[in-house]
Amino acid sequence: MIDVIVFAISALIIIGGAIGVIALPNPVHAALSLIATFFGVAVLFVQQEAHFLALVQVVVYAGAIVVLFLFVIMLLGVDRAQELGVEPLAGQRAAGVAVGAVLLALVVGGLFLSGDPDRGGAVALTGQSGQVVPTVEGEQDVIQLARDLFTRHLLTFEATGILLTVATVGAVVLVRARGAEDLILDEPGTAQH
Amino acid sequence: MFAQAATSPEVVWSLLWPLLFLSIGGVLLVTVTSVIPALRRPGMPAALTILIGGASFVSTIPVWRRVADTEGPTTVVAGAMSVDAFTVVMTAIIAASVVLTALVLDDYLRREGLDGPEWYVLLLMSASGGVLMAAADDLIVLFMGLEILSIAVYVLAALHLRRTDSQEAGFKYFVLGAFSSALFLYGIALVYGATGSTQIDQIAANLRLPNEAGLTPIEDASLLLAGVALLLVGFAFKVSAVPFHVWTPDVYQGAPTPITGFMASAVKVAGFAGLARVFVISFSEFGSGDLIQDDWRPILAILAGLSLVLGAFMAAGQSDVKRMLAYSSIVHAGFLLIGVHAAGHGDAGVADAGGRALVFYLITYAAMVVGSFAVATVVAGRGDADHGVDAYRGLFRKHPALALMMAVLLFSQAGIPFTSGFMAKFRVLGAAVDGEAYVLAGVAMLAAVVAALLYLRIIVAMFLDDADDEGGDEQVAGSVRKIDVPVGAAISIVLAVIVTIGLGVLPDLGRGVVAAAADVLVNR
């Protein structure tokens, strides 16, 4: 019973947030209501005992990505109400509705056509019944992931550090302020293509 | 609640030194140069980089002793990296090209009025990615190596901040490279889905029939084939094989010239090392019945043929030396692909010849291409824009030694006897003929002849002064810059020429090294 209540509340938050993203006229408000959706999804992940996914959902999506959205919105100076009456591309609204309807049909179809829940369900989509990765009894997925990350994938994990350093150094070097006056402009047309 | 602490895999540090010198060296370099201003003075970062690259190169020797002589090949850090003769040779080539590039880069940066240790930091980290890629025993590690290598090189290509050409090159390389990385990653996912492993040895074992792991043999190969195709696209982009080469001329032309030399040597070597390891080891056992490898070798042959023909013919129409060398690097990619093609042959003798030819070609190619771009750096002069064939006109009169060195390097690229390039091409073609790939060998010979014309154009320009200019000699002499060869570039060029002539006259020098490295690939 408690499961159903938790699901219902988080589903309401998710749907409310999603509607907010497309319905609110101010882009900043739209980005903020996206956070509500992400948090709702995170709650659903916890309910399914996918703690790692829930954590990533909050830290990466609600944290980093939405902040990035807000940066872009504010840096581009579009944090004002937008006129939504005009369509920049003709027919994009109708196309959006059509794609949405197809996606909905796919999800609903997959739900209803999937096989016997006793066999794991979802036979209709992949032709194979769902399988859960064998888990150690009573061990959370975070611990399992951590073990994998620090044993089998230790070198990859460490190499990620080098990759991030490269990205940081590269980004700083490329955007560093420089005098534009001594920019060497190649004469147009001298490069061969 | 809490499970017992996981035991970390044992790390055999002594086998990792060549990689650690490059990666930790890069991190340390960026740290110390930002803390101690004295180390930012021109020349200091270059000296440190040469020291680090040299340390990495020298540290391959004790590793070689262990893996080739005493203990045999092994994997480290829970099977993430193979440390074997092939890894050590590729690591040594990459470390050497770091040193040679840093030698050229030092004076280049002073000449162009650029500064900063970031060039060297990115160079070292890029090289560490290349080593990781050449050594990877797991597709995920391979991908990490590929990304470290590539992202650092994207930035390096754009790092001449005052040339719009350089910015354009970096951006083009980045956009197309990111796309190919995505395809590559998708390929890894599909191969994992089809074979149940990302480990290179394990993939081979899972594909072997009958299966050791007790899994059902793969009945429907379409998933695996799609994965193999996507992996090949990713590799072909990195090594600039036709039809995934379109970025090459623009990027090679626009990137700072010493960096172009690094891209042509280290990046290509790492790409081919990864390609050879994945395809020759992982997928060699794949195929129906006893016709193994028949699913990917024909595609490789087509890529090789296209690279040879298109590279050679497109090069002929160029008037910019950097673009010419870019197309010539596509032709070289074709020759190297023939080597991989032969190394994947079912017959052990042919495969062995192919593997040896591939390793030998990579060693010689890296040396001559770094040397060639070092000469181009020197000739172009301040601004790094003067790369037309005209800039080389009369070079012999202005600087005879430089012209002679360039001539040797270009003769070697063309495959003239008594240079290393001749022996490399000869061995690759020999392996192809052994493997009865006669058409491919014929195409390669034709491409070699057409490409030779391109090198001859530059050589002719260097040695012949225009007779018509006799009257206006004063004016020509006035307009032509004096060419100074800085010490660093001179050392780099001389080393490249020594390797080129040395391996041309004594091609059996280091025969045991090449044989041991090839052995890793083909005698699994």
Side-chain angles (χ1 to χ4, degrees):
Chain A
M1 188 58 200
I2 189 87
D3 276 1
V4 177
I5 297 169
V6 170
F7 174 80
I9 294 173
S10 33
L12 278 179
I13 294 172
I14 292 169
I15 294 172
I19 292 172
V21 171
I22 52 171
L24 289 172
N26 188 321
V28 176
H29 296 166
L32 289 176
S33 64
L34 192 60
I35 297 180
T37 304
F38 286 149
F39 266 103
V41 174
V43 171
L44 289 187
F45 279 139
V46 173
Q47 206 182 7
Q48 300 291 320
E49 299 198 348
H51 296 102
F52 181 74
L53 275 183
L55 191 76
V56 168
Q57 182 79 17
V58 173
V59 172
V60 177
Y61 282 84
I65 290 186
V66 173
V67 168
L68 195 70
F69 280 179
L70 289 174
F71 270 146
V72 172
I73 290 169
M74 290 180 176
L75 286 176
L76 290 181
V78 291
D79 49 337
R80 283 167 261 105
Q82 295 285 304
E83 177 55 57
L84 293 174
V86 289
E87 276 188 81
L89 288 171
Q92 69 176 16
R93 210 155 284 178
V97 171
V99 171
V102 170
L103 278 177
L104 187 68
L106 258 177
V107 173
V108 172
L111 210 61
F112 281 100
L113 293 175
S114 55
D116 186 2
D118 296 340
R119 291 169 51 221
V123 178
L125 292 182
T126 59
Q128 288 176 342
S129 59
Q131 276 184 339
V132 179
V133 178
T135 55
V136 184
E137 189 63 38
E139 194 171 83
Q140 288 171 0
D141 62 333
V142 180
I143 293 171
Q144 288 181 45
L145 267 168
R147 175 170 298 136
D148 213 32
L149 208 55
F150 285 100
T151 56
R152 204 158 69 85
H153 294 298
L154 181 65
L155 188 74
T156 320
F157 184 73
E158 299 291 342
T160 317
I162 302 286
L163 182 61
L164 292 176
T165 314
V166 168
T168 314
V169 171
V172 170
V173 169
L174 284 180
V175 301
R176 196 170 50 188
R178 56 186 178 271
E181 68 278 2
D182 56 357
L183 186 71
I184 303 169
L185 281 167
D186 296 287
E187 288 172 48
T190 51
Q192 296 156 8
H193 294 287
Chain B
M1 171 84 196
F2 291 110
Q4 77 285 8
T7 41
S8 290
E10 192 198 351
V11 180
V12 189
W13 295 100
S14 53
L15 290 174
L16 282 172
W17 279 118
L19 172 67
L20 292 177
F21 270 122
L22 292 172
S23 56
I24 296 181
V27 175
L28 278 181
L29 188 63
V30 74
T31 315
V32 297
T33 50
S34 45
V35 177
I36 308 170
L39 291 176
R40 274 201 297 274
R41 284 206 310 270
M44 284 310 286
L48 291 174
T49 307
I50 292 164
L51 206 64
I52 294 166
S56 174
F57 185 84
V58 171
S59 67
T60 57
I61 296 169
V63 177
W64 174 270
R65 290 253 167 81
R66 280 183 66 174
V67 299
D69 296 342
T70 55
E71 292 169 26
T74 179
T75 58
V76 289
V77 204
M81 256 175 82
S82 332
V83 181
D84 48 36
F86 184 72
T87 304
V88 177
V89 171
M90 295 301 138
T91 306
I93 301 177
I94 293 170
S97 74
V98 167
V99 172
L100 295 183
T101 307
L103 280 168
V104 185
L105 199 53
D106 179 39
D107 185 75
Y108 176 86
L109 294 184
R110 295 183 206 196
R111 190 183 81 196
E112 302 293 320
L114 301 161
D115 63 345
E118 302 86 5
W119 290 73
Y120 301 99
V121 172
L122 291 169
L123 193 68
L124 286 169
M125 290 189 171
S126 171
S128 77
V131 170
L132 204 55
M133 205 176 155
D137 195 35
D138 189 304
L139 290 177
I140 298 173
V141 176
L142 183 74
F143 180 72
M144 285 308 296
L146 179 82
E147 283 302 285
I148 295 172
L149 172 82
S150 310
I151 291 179
V153 172
Y154 303 150
V155 179
L156 282 170
L159 215 44
H160 195 315
L161 294 173
R162 289 186 288 112
R163 278 175 53 75
T164 45
D165 259 16
S166 172
Q167 315 274 292
E168 180 190 328
F171 194 69
K172 267 184 188 162
Y173 198 16
F174 170 64
V175 171
L176 290 174
F179 195 62
S180 85
S181 292
L183 291 180
F184 188 81
L185 196 56
Y186 196 23
I188 293 177
L190 292 184
V191 167
Y192 176 61
T195 62
S197 180
T198 54
Q199 289 228 307
I200 285 172
D201 298 336
Q202 194 61 43
I203 292 172
N206 288 358
L207 289 173
R208 205 168 290 148
L209 305 176
N211 200 297
E212 285 171 358
L215 300 167
T216 45
I218 293 166
E219 287 158 14
D220 179 14
S222 53
L223 197 62
L224 181 60
L225 283 177
V228 169
L230 288 171
L231 284 182
L232 191 57
V233 171
F235 279 124
F237 179 87
K238 275 294 153 238
V239 303
S240 57
V242 176
F244 307 103
H245 70 289
V246 281
W247 59 276
T248 314
D250 286 354
V251 173
Y252 274 38
Q253 185 188 20
T257 314
I259 300 304
T260 314
F262 182 74
M263 286 198 292
S265 58
V267 176
K268 202 163 266 207
V269 167
F272 268 106
L275 173 70
R277 200 184 278 277
V278 171
F279 278 77
V280 178
I281 296 180
S282 286
F283 301 136
S284 59
E285 306 284 341
F286 174 56
S288 43
D290 49 7
L291 288 172
I292 58 172
Q293 304 111 349
D294 273 359
D295 283 306
W296 58 267
R297 286 184 72 240
I299 314 174
L300 220 55
I302 291 169
L303 284 181
L306 284 176
S307 303
L308 289 163
V309 173
L310 274 164
F313 280 94
M314 302 270 280
Q318 305 299 322
S319 60
D320 183 293
V321 170
K322 270 169 96 180
R323 281 182 90 83
M324 284 182 181
L325 291 175
Y327 280 109
S328 99
S329 88
I330 296 173
V331 179
H332 286 300
F335 274 103
L336 286 160
L337 282 173
I338 297 180
V340 183
H341 180 257
H345 198 280
D347 182 79
V350 178
D352 206 33
R356 288 176 192 206
L358 175 73
V359 174
F360 185 75
Y361 204 115
L362 283 174
I363 295 172
T364 61
Y365 170 71
M368 61 195 172
V369 81
V370 166
S372 305
F373 279 107
V375 175
T377 309
V378 173
V379 171
R382 193 171 155 73
D384 197 18
D386 200 3
H387 287 292
V389 178
D390 289 339
Y392 290 77
R393 209 167 291 285
L395 184 66
F396 181 65
R397 204 184 43 177
K398 278 181 279 179
H399 202 304
L402 187 66
L404 283 174
M405 301 261 181
M406 184 62 164
V408 169
L409 294 169
L410 290 178
F411 276 136
S412 180
Q413 293 214 34
I416 305 289
F418 301 112
T419 58
S420 62
F422 170 74
M423 284 315 297
K425 284 190 166 62
F426 181 75
R427 288 181 176 175
V428 166
L429 291 180
V433 171
D434 285 352
E436 300 183 347
Y438 299 120
V439 178
L440 199 54
V443 168
M445 284 182 211
L446 177 76
V449 172
V450 176
L453 294 177
L454 137 90
Y455 304 117
L456 277 178
R457 266 179 68 201
I458 307 177
I459 293 169
V460 166
M462 287 195 300
F463 285 94
L464 293 184
D465 286 326
D466 274 348
D468 302 341
D469 282 350
E470 210 62 60
D473 213 356
E474 292 302 308
Q475 184 225 333
V476 170
S479 70
V480 166
R481 292 178 322 276
K482 193 172 173 302
I483 289 182
D484 290 321
V485 183
V487 180
I491 297 173
S492 182
I493 296 166
V494 168
L495 284 176
V497 169
I498 288 173
V499 172
T500 302
I501 295 182
L503 286 177
V505 178
L506 301 166
D508 284 337
L509 206 69
R511 182 197 182 94
V513 173
V514 172
D519 205 45
V520 172
L521 287 183
V522 295
N523 293 343
R524 50 260 160 195

